[in-house]
Amino acid sequence: MSFFRLDKPVQFLKGVGPVRAEALGRMGIVTARDLLYHVPRRYDDASTIQSIAEVEIGTDATVVGRVRSTGVIPTRKGLRIFQAVLKDHSGMITCAWPGQPWLERKLQKGDLLLATGPVKFFHGRQLRPREFSILGRNLDDTTGEESEIGHIFATYPASEEVPQWVLRGLFKKNLDLLLSNVIEEEYLSADEQRVYSLPSLPESLGVLHRPTSLEGVEEARRRLAYDELFFLQLVQARARYRETIQKQGIVFGRTDELIRPLHEALPFRLTTAQARVLREIYSDMGSSRRMNRLLQGDVGSGKTVVALFSMLLAVEAGYQAVLMAPTELLAEQHARSMRKLMEPLGIEVYVLTGQLAAPDRRETLSALREGTATLVVGTQALIQKNVEFRKLGMVVVDEQHRFGVRQRMVFGDRENPPDILIMSATPIPRSLAMALYGDLDLSVLDEMPKGRKPIRTFLRYPNERKDVYQFVEEELKKGHQAYVVYPLVAESDKMDMRSATEGYERLTEATFGHRRVGLLHGQLSSEIKDQVMRGFLAGEIDVLVATTVIEVGIDVPNASVMVIEHAERFGLSQLHQLRGRVGRGATESHCILIADPGEVAAERLKIFCNTSDGFAVARADLRLRGQGDLFGAQQHGRDPVLRFADLSMDEELLMEAHNRARSVVNVDPDLQGEDMSLIKKLMDHRYAEKLKLFSVG
Ligand code: ADP
Ligand code: MG
């Protein structure tokens, strides 16, 4: 088996013995490549580092200097303070760490230290480092104090066992060798580098370890980000090729026999976005290419109608079409709204869920087998083994909010696989959609039907809770219903939170003692959940106290107000999904967030209050929270899929990677050409494991 030189264990490198190799291993650095890609997490230059002489009391400062002396000073109260005097070309300052006398064993005279923290007055200027790192030990470090001006200081992610200065020492000894070894992994030709304005791989890694300017660092990051995005898109482009291009799709002939009557019967005009998306879908369905499309649209943007028209095209052409929903309740809801439109046209909508009584089930199954059932709505029950279709042509999968969870290409292994349309109610930024679903073609409903009343969103503090519930009571008096949402199911030891259960008890005891209050959370059995939801739907419950389980597309138009407790605990996209449960009827609706005043999150929540566009909310969320958990960064022991790419700012780069991956695959899907051999090798050896989640089948 061939492999790259950088696959060798770190122990082959200079300065790495068995003990250090183990310590590095505990940081996730096992191979030489792991070390090379272990790049600094922070860079400081003249724009952040001050000369020591300029540091002022009452400010926050970052300085770099050599340790001239150290010592532990006891105070009268018995607190021991570690102190170090730092010197750079301009002067000296004392750094003090109260209560950390053990630092005496870590910091030595002669160490080159980077320190950031507030500057206090205490026998002169005293810096209290919030963060510090030892950039170098005196012994072999030749960085003179004078040459530190204009220098950039990089801080590596380090550990107790492998401190900053050890890492720096390792790079000093090995970086040139590592860089010369990475040359064999450069898969972008000089021309391509120019076209994408990306530096070469050795150049980029060199700059990240030996920065000369922050601009250079950013360019280098972009290069490594491109690599991640390109290989991710390549995996997806190949999946798309297998599912979409390689498999012959059905060419649906349009007769307008059903589509036209539906247009005429529709009580509203399609939005421009709906019309555009339908053109995209019709064009896919009319071609011999198999459709594999993601339909994205905010809650209420009218995805169901789009799905229905697409299904009718299949039915017109003599095929069966199904819509698969994530829950029974949602399946029934879809069936209800479709029946309203289909009954006048004399088309029956069939339902297949797990709850169907045996005789009904038998009847439906035989209608599917014989082909008399043309429009079918259901749950996972639709993909059980015993379900047979006579001529299945089109499958719509309603994923609701579960984006990120890969929907397997259901029905894909049949002889004549149907066209697929996946609907997602989570308005995610285009870059995120591309990264998560790059193997699907994308249609976006970015426009709401006219005449929607906006949901008014407010932020309130806990001490205003009484007024908030007073307001809810007024809505209830008008005959409306309300949601109260809590972040946790049961009380946790760590956090002082009102769990849904606790909240339910309090609300039923006092505030809404005279009201019918229901409780809904994930720990309840699905029968009970169903029962509660049906009660709320039927208006038998006034106030529904719930956790996020109500997120999924439940439609109760009479609910006009939602209170979200501990709103700071939710992500903005999640809040938006929750908020979408109200504002579904004719009256003006309200969403009231209750959050602690001290929360830094308040700024975030204010953005949310002022933004009703789900895509804008999602972009803000991505910018503020990052993409971490979506790509496995939080999963233990997994190299995160995206370490360098940041989807909130790298959209353009992603598009380039996406387009290049698709054109590569269109020409050479199995990457068998001579010019693809390095890409294939990198893919198999470097990225396969990491990108497993994204490869289908
Ligand atoms: P989604 O599934 O995208 O959340 P739905 O398809 O459930 O949204 O549509 C929400 C509501 O809007 C439904 O009552 C639907 O009948 C209505 N609707 C859909 N399209 C339009 C339109 N173009 N104009 C007016 N109302 C529409
Ligand atoms: Mg819907």
Side-chain angles (χ1 to χ4, degrees):
M1 199 165 93
S2 64
F3 55 82
F4 298 101
R5 264 174 287 176
L6 288 175
D7 285 326
K8 288 193 188 128
V10 261
Q11 210 183 312
F12 286 112
L13 297 172
K14 279 184 217 148
V16 188
V19 175
R20 184 153 286 164
E22 276 190 22
L24 285 166
R26 281 187 282 274
M27 292 173 77
I29 301 172
V30 178
T31 64
R33 182 186 298 100
D34 294 337
L35 185 67
L36 180 58
Y37 277 81
H38 189 79
V39 301
R41 62 177 166 80
R42 157 178 175 171
Y43 294 91
D44 288 283
D45 75 347
S47 65
T48 47
I49 298 172
Q50 285 174 277
S51 30
I52 287 178
E54 287 168 4
V55 167
E56 283 173 29
I57 290 162
T59 62
D60 225 56
T62 296
V63 301
V64 173
R66 292 234 171 238
V67 176
R68 299 306 297 253
S69 61
T70 63
V72 173
I73 297 164
T75 63
R76 255 175 291 161
K77 287 181 193 148
L79 184 71
R80 296 184 352 123
I81 301 176
F82 176 72
Q83 287 196 344
V85 175
L86 281 196
K87 179 179 185 302
D88 71 359
H89 64 279
S90 68
M92 299 209 269
I93 192 168
T94 307
C95 294
W97 288 263
Q100 299 182 53
W102 47 269
L103 282 176
E104 193 174 22
R105 289 192 304 274
K106 286 192 69 180
L107 274 170
Q108 295 177 7
K109 191 174 166 203
D111 282 354
L112 185 65
L113 196 72
L114 172 100
T116 301
V119 183
K120 312 268 184 192
F121 178 77
F122 193 82
H123 303 302
R125 300 173 309 161
Q126 190 181 73
L127 189 120
R128 300 268 174 87
R130 195 172 36 245
E131 197 186 340
F132 73 94
S133 68
I134 304 166
L135 299 176
R137 261 279 109 129
N138 56 352
L139 318 166
D140 54 350
D141 205 314
T142 50
T143 326
E145 279 146 28
E146 298 311 315
S147 69
E148 280 151 30
I149 315 163
H151 196 81
I152 294 187
F153 294 96
T155 308
Y156 287 97
S159 73
E160 193 71 23
E161 292 176 302
V162 189
Q164 202 60 230
W165 57 273
V166 167
L167 282 166
R168 297 169 73 87
L170 288 180
F171 285 114
K172 191 161 260 171
K173 291 192 193 94
N174 297 291
L175 185 61
D176 290 324
L177 175 73
L178 292 170
L179 292 177
S180 71
N181 283 345
V182 83
I183 293 174
E184 65 174 340
E185 304 190 17
E186 176 59 277
Y187 66 97
L188 287 180
S189 69
D191 271 352
E192 285 166 327
Q193 291 169 28
R194 207 165 29 248
V195 170
Y196 299 121
S197 23
L198 293 171
S200 76
L201 199 49
E203 212 178 323
S204 305
L205 285 158
V207 164
L208 290 177
H209 290 291
R210 286 180 192 144
T212 52
S213 75
L214 292 185
E215 294 77 38
V217 167
E218 168 56 15
E219 270 183 33
R221 181 202 68 80
R222 279 187 77 237
R223 165 61 212 254
L224 300 189
Y226 179 84
D227 293 353
E228 292 175 338
L229 295 170
F230 174 68
F231 283 96
L232 175 61
Q233 290 302 306
L234 195 58
V235 167
Q236 296 182 323
R238 293 175 80 191
R240 172 178 181 268
Y241 184 86
R242 276 197 302 276
E243 291 302 324
T244 309
I245 317 243
Q246 210 170 32
K247 288 188 180 150
Q248 275 291 314
I250 303 161
V251 181
F252 295 92
R254 182 167 164 185
T255 66
D256 271 345
E257 191 185 329
L258 297 169
I259 289 177
R260 175 156 320 129
L262 177 59
H263 266 296
E264 281 159 7
L266 219 53
F268 46 75
R269 282 176 60 103
L270 292 182
T271 62
T272 317
Q274 283 171 319
R276 168 174 37 81
V277 166
L278 272 176
R279 274 198 304 277
E280 291 164 358
I281 293 173
Y282 290 161
S283 145
D284 273 5
M285 292 180 71
S287 86
S288 61
R289 219 162 49 81
R290 187 178 174 222
M291 177 164 77
N292 230 323
R293 192 169 273 282
L294 175 68
L295 169 58
Q296 244 199 302
D298 209 345
V299 188
S301 59
K303 292 183 293 297
T304 314
V305 178
V306 171
L308 184 56
F309 273 110
S310 324
M311 292 166 84
L312 285 186
L313 174 54
V315 175
E316 273 185 9
Y319 289 86
Q320 292 167 294
V322 307
L323 189 160
M324 193 165 86
T327 66
E328 309 249 338
L329 220 58
L330 284 168
E332 287 169 25
Q333 201 170 279
H334 276 305
R336 218 176 308 126
S337 55
M338 285 194 177
R339 276 182 182 137
K340 235 186 276 170
L341 293 163
M342 288 294 96
E343 254 155 30
L345 308 188
I347 294 190
E348 192 173 344
V349 177
Y350 284 76
V351 175
L352 185 68
T353 65
Q355 272 183 349
L356 227 49
D360 291 344
R361 179 178 169 77
R362 261 196 308 277
E363 205 176 300
T364 305
L365 286 180
S366 92
L368 291 177
R369 205 174 321 114
E370 278 150 30
T372 42
T374 52
L375 274 182
V376 192
V377 177
T379 55
Q380 298 275 327
L382 283 166
I383 46 175
Q384 305 300 305
K385 271 208 205 77
N386 55 356
V387 183
E388 283 170 47
F389 293 88
R390 190 177 134 82
K391 215 178 165 192
L392 181 62
M394 163 78 177
V395 175
V396 182
V397 183
D398 186 0
E399 279 202 326
Q400 290 299 335
H401 71 308
R402 302 178 192 190
F403 74 94
V405 179
R406 288 317 311 264
Q407 182 68 50
R408 292 254 148 199
M409 294 294 152
V410 279
F411 306 103
D413 48 359
R414 302 167 167 256
E415 211 170 297
N416 295 303
D419 279 13
I420 305 261
L421 181 68
I422 294 173
M423 302 200 289
S424 164
T426 311
I428 55 179
R430 183 181 154 88
S431 59
L432 194 52
M434 211 48 108
L436 288 168
Y437 297 103
D439 54 335
L440 305 175
D441 294 301
L442 187 62
S443 285
V444 182
L445 286 178
D446 49 6
E447 181 191 357
M448 284 289 177
K450 287 191 188 59
R452 282 283 154 79
K453 293 232 170 61
I455 302 162
R456 305 186 52 170
T457 307
F458 301 99
L459 184 55
R460 291 287 178 266
Y461 297 128
N463 63 9
E464 297 171 291
R465 192 173 274 124
K466 237 183 109 195
D467 297 339
V468 170
Y469 285 106
Q470 185 54 45
F471 177 80
V472 172
E473 175 60 28
E474 275 155 32
E475 285 294 300
L476 298 178
K477 275 190 191 138
K478 292 184 210 157
H480 293 308
Q481 290 161 283
Y483 293 99
V484 178
V485 183
Y486 288 89
L488 287 178
V489 180
E491 200 171 16
S492 122
D493 302 337
K494 284 191 212 123
M495 280 166 277
D496 174 30
M497 295 254 152
R498 288 150 197 269
S499 68
T501 312
E502 209 197 4
Y504 170 78
E505 278 160 15
R506 201 182 7 260
L507 287 173
T508 44
E509 267 163 31
T511 325
F512 297 121
H514 58 300
R515 293 287 179 189
R516 296 164 302 178
V517 184
L519 175 64
L520 194 69
H521 60 67
Q523 244 75 322
L524 298 171
S525 71
S526 46
E527 289 93 69
I528 305 260
K529 266 192 261 185
D530 216 52
Q531 204 179 318
V532 173
M533 243 0 274
R534 282 174 210 281
F536 192 61
L537 204 58
E540 290 153 6
I541 291 174
D542 303 311
V543 180
L544 183 60
V545 176
T547 59
T548 48
V549 292
I550 52 149
E551 249 182 297
V552 184
I554 281 304
D555 189 13
V556 183
N558 191 43
S560 66
V561 55
M562 172 178 285
V563 178
I564 303 180
E565 292 273 3
H566 294 280
E568 74 279 357
R569 297 268 299 147
F570 297 86
L572 294 189
S573 295
Q574 201 177 20
L575 286 174
H576 184 73
Q577 286 291 314
L578 288 168
R579 174 167 67 177
R581 297 304 110 228
V582 294
R584 304 178 72 86
T587 45
E588 176 158 86
S589 295
H590 296 85
C591 175
I592 305 161
L593 312 178
I594 299 183
D596 279 349
E599 279 303 323
V600 204
E603 200 48 49
R604 204 166 70 85
L605 296 178
K606 272 180 207 144
I607 297 177
F608 178 73
C609 292
N610 296 324
T611 316
S612 57
D613 173 4
F615 286 98
V617 168
R619 276 195 301 275
D621 206 19
L622 183 59
R623 186 161 41 75
L624 294 168
R625 288 203 314 164
Q627 66 215 7
D629 38 353
L630 286 172
F631 290 95
Q634 254 80 320
Q635 279 169 278
H636 261 303
R638 254 192 93 87
D639 189 9
V641 171
L642 300 180
R643 265 175 72 196
F644 297 101
D646 178 343
L647 295 177
S648 68
M649 46 190 220
D650 290 330
E651 180 167 329
E652 226 173 286
L653 203 60
L654 175 58
M655 289 314 296
E656 272 168 18
H658 176 81
N659 293 336
R660 175 149 184 266
R662 281 203 173 181
S663 57
V664 161
V665 168
N666 286 341
V667 175
D668 184 5
D670 294 321
L671 310 177
Q672 291 188 317
E674 185 68 40
D675 53 335
M676 285 297 125
S677 68
L678 179 56
I679 288 180
K680 178 138 194 346
K681 205 167 139 194
L682 282 167
M683 175 109 153
D684 294 345
H685 291 286
R686 273 205 64 188
Y687 289 94
E689 189 57 30
K690 195 164 154 170
L691 297 176
K692 236 184 209 157
L693 264 179
F694 292 87
S695 53
V696 182

